[in-house]
Amino acid sequence: MKKLEHSKWTAVTKIRNWRHYEVLNINKKKQFVEMFAVCAKKIRIEVSFEDLKNKNKWQSGWDEIVD
């Protein structure tokens, strides 16, 4: 869990018009992380641990994805 703190992620498909997110909070009990869009910090989403492991949905780090 420690390596998830403040980690950076790229959504394979845009979520709320953004791809690059950073972990803000980790909820171990409910098995999800709260993330914010890097370019629009007010945009917050919750992502399950399972979804983060799915390479068809998320990539670790900030990657450029061309549509």
Side-chain angles (χ1 to χ4, degrees), residues 24-39:
L24 182 63
N25 294 308
I26 303 168
N27 188 323
K28 295 177 191 173
K29 189 179 253 186
K30 294 185 179 178
Q31 301 283 298
F32 73 83
V33 294
E34 180 184 15
M35 304 171 101
F36 65 89
V38 176
C39 293

Side-chain angles (χ1 to χ4, degrees), residues 39-53:
C39 293
K41 293 184 180 7
K42 290 183 180 181
I43 294 178
R44 305 252 171 111
I45 61 171
E46 291 181 351
V47 179
S48 71
F49 290 170
E50 281 299 310
D51 281 348
L52 279 183
K53 293 178 190 176

Side-chain angles (χ1 to χ4, degrees), residues 9-10 20 22 28 33 35 37 55-56 61-62 64 67:
W9 294 84
T10 301
H20 297 114
E22 185 173 333
K28 295 177 191 173
V33 294
M35 304 171 101
K55 298 215 181 273
N56 292 321
W62 290 337
E64 181 178 355
D67 288 326

